[in-house]
């Protein structure tokens, strides 16, 4: 059974599983676990919202169940559907073996046949039902990813499920979680999530990390990068995000950028490799043009005059992957 006694316990566990949290995310995770409340994480794409759920699943040990939301998602994709192919095969098997018999005066097989066809063995459990019926000792982590892509009707249905952690299937009955899952809901805020769902959750806005913490993350996830390169990449990413880009780079992109620069033999950020490897950091041509217009040499000159807080220097450059 998971025991969490303090915010410090949460921070230590997350760091042990290679996630470097700030005090805000550590605190809200601690409260969500202690209060058994869903956690709603909003923020720009690439800031590490989904990674929180993955790390929690590794830490808690109950496994990750992921529901990726999209426009038009409905019950059959999110909760359950019947395995019609297996039902039809079962029906034909009964016919072939003579187990379906009809009397001229009375059909005696209809009710029994319906009960057989709508049995749990023909039930395909989608993520929400899986999360409520998992019987592992540790609770699973249910990740409802990008809820802002789903429509209002699905959001209302999700709120109903989370109110008592139960789902009713007309042909079978009601499934209620013996141990409620740990629920993490993410949103990129392409639209506002309804107030009713927000009231049900503990809320946290996940920002891009500061250059100090981003350099730590880079050194943890890209151990081949030198400390100087990690610091310069973090500072450059900060400058680039302030240029009003169509899609500012997330942490995953800065890690990829550091790896790309390291593969080319870079130990510091240089003009030639900066421009040549921008495809690892920026994914839209408009953003490439914006950075080029601003001047890559101007960014390099600026970051070389800056210095990241010495706390970054406490992180070894060869942290194992």
């Amino acid at each position: 059974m998971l025991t969490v006694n303090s915010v410090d316990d949460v921070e230590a566990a997350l760091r042990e599983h290679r996630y470097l949290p700030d005090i805000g995310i550590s605190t809200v995770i601690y409260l969500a676990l202690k209060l058994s409340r869903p956690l709603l994480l909003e923020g720009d794409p690439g800031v590490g919202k989904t990674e929180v759920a993955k790390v929690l699943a590794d830490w808690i040990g109950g496994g990750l169940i992921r529901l990726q939301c999209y426009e038009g998602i409905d019950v059959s994709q999110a909760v359950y559907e019947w395995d019609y192919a297996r039902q039809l095969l079962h029906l034909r098997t009964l016919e072939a073996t003579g187990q379906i018999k009809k009397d001229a005066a009375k059909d005696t097989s209809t009710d029994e046949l319906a009960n057989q066809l709508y049995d749990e063995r023909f039930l395909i459990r989608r993520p929400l039902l899986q999360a409520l019926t998992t019987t592992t000792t540790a609770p699973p982590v249910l990740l409802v990813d990008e809820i802002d892509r789903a429509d209002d009707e699905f959001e209302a249905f999700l709120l109903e499920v989370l109110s008592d952690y139960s789902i009713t299937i007309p042909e079978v009955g009601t499934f209620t979680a013996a141990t409620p899952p740990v629920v993490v809901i993410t949103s990129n805020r392409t639209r506002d999530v309804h107030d009713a769902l927000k009231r049900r959750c503990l809320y946290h806005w996940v920002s891009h990390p500061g250059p100090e913490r981003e350099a730590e993350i880079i050194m943890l996830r890209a151990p081949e990068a030198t400390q100087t390169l990690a610091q310069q990449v973090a500072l450059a990413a900060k400058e680039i995000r302030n240029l009003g880009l169509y899609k500012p780079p997330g942490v995953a992109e800065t890690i990829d950028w550091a790896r790309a620069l390291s593969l080319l033999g870079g130990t510091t950020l240089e003009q030639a490799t900066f421009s040549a490897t921008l495809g690892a950091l920026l994914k839209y041509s408009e953003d490439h043009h914006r950075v080029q217009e601003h001047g890559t040499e101007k960014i390099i000159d600026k970051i070389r005059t800056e210095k990241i807080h010495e706390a970054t220097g406490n992180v070894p450059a060869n942290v194992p992957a």
Side-chain angles (χ1 to χ4, degrees):
M1 190 70 179
L2 179 67
T3 302
V4 181
N5 296 317
S6 67
V7 174
D8 290 340
D9 286 349
V10 173
E11 181 177 358
L14 295 179
R15 284 181 173 271
E16 183 180 346
H17 289 80
R18 304 177 70 243
Y19 185 90
L20 304 183
D22 58 22
I23 186 62
I25 193 68
S26 297
T27 301
V28 77
I29 289 174
Y30 169 74
L31 294 174
L33 293 176
K34 297 298 283 187
L35 298 174
S36 298
R37 297 282 294 278
L39 178 58
L40 174 59
L41 301 178
E42 277 195 329
D44 294 330
V47 294
K49 303 183 297 297
T50 300
E51 191 67 20
V52 170
K54 294 179 179 178
V55 170
L56 281 176
D58 289 340
W59 170 29
I60 295 171
L64 176 69
I65 299 174
R66 181 173 183 170
L67 174 62
Q68 179 63 53
C69 296
Y70 52 87
E71 184 178 356
I73 189 172
D74 60 18
V75 171
S76 64
Q77 288 90 37
V79 186
Y80 78 97
E81 65 178 328
W82 293 104
D83 191 338
Y84 297 115
R86 288 188 61 207
Q87 285 176 317
L88 180 59
L89 181 61
H90 181 69
L91 178 61
R92 290 181 174 175
T93 299
L94 294 178
E95 291 175 342
T97 57
Q99 296 181 54
I100 297 180
K101 297 180 180 179
K102 295 183 180 180
D103 187 274
K106 181 180 180 182
D107 184 350
T108 58
S109 63
T110 302
D111 292 339
E112 180 182 352
L113 180 59
N115 290 334
Q116 289 188 44
L117 291 179
Y118 290 100
D119 186 81
E120 282 191 50
R121 58 183 162 161
F122 300 118
L123 189 64
I124 300 175
R125 299 173 190 240
R126 298 304 186 192
L128 290 182
L129 185 57
Q130 289 176 26
L132 299 186
T133 56
T134 297
T135 57
T136 53
T137 303
V141 174
L142 172 63
L143 169 61
V144 183
D145 213 7
E146 299 182 331
I147 185 64
D148 51 316
R149 291 193 174 192
D151 53 29
D152 294 346
E153 289 76 10
F154 180 76
E155 192 175 315
F157 175 76
L158 179 64
L159 178 64
E160 182 180 346
V161 171
L162 296 180
S163 64
D164 53 9
Y165 293 102
S166 68
I167 291 173
T168 298
I169 298 176
E171 300 89 346
V172 179
T174 299
F175 293 85
T176 302
T179 302
V182 176
V183 180
V184 177
I185 305 171
T186 73
S187 168
N188 294 331
R189 207 172 185 181
T190 57
R191 69 169 178 84
D192 285 334
V193 176
H194 285 202
D195 289 342
L197 183 59
K198 285 188 174 181
R199 284 195 298 270
R200 183 72 184 85
C201 304
L202 294 181
Y203 176 86
H204 185 72
W205 175 265
V206 184
S207 304
H208 287 286
E212 299 91 346
R213 192 160 67 91
E214 188 157 16
E216 286 188 82
I217 295 169
I218 292 169
M219 293 165 67
L220 181 66
R221 298 286 182 160
E224 63 271 27
T226 65
Q227 181 173 317
T228 300
L229 179 62
Q231 292 176 347
Q232 291 181 343
V233 164
L235 287 169
K238 175 189 173 184
E239 293 299 318
I240 289 172
R241 289 178 185 131
N242 291 330
L243 297 180
L245 304 182
Y246 178 75
K247 170 61 173 67
V251 178
E253 284 83 11
T254 59
I255 293 171
D256 286 344
W257 194 27
R259 285 176 171 163
L261 291 165
S262 297
L263 282 173
L264 295 177
T267 57
T268 61
L269 194 56
E270 304 294 339
Q271 173 65 34
T273 52
F274 187 119
S275 300
T277 57
L278 266 181
L281 187 71
L282 305 176
K283 307 304 169 67
Y284 288 89
S285 61
E286 296 88 345
D287 292 342
H288 282 250
H289 293 318
R290 179 66 61 88
V291 171
Q292 297 293 351
E293 288 175 0
H294 178 78
T296 55
E297 56 284 328
K298 185 186 298 185
I299 295 174
I300 291 177
D301 290 342
K302 183 173 182 179
I303 65 174
R304 283 178 177 170
T305 62
E306 295 188 29
K307 187 177 181 182
I308 284 186
H309 193 276
E310 291 299 330
T312 305
N314 296 327
V315 182
N318 60 344
V319 177

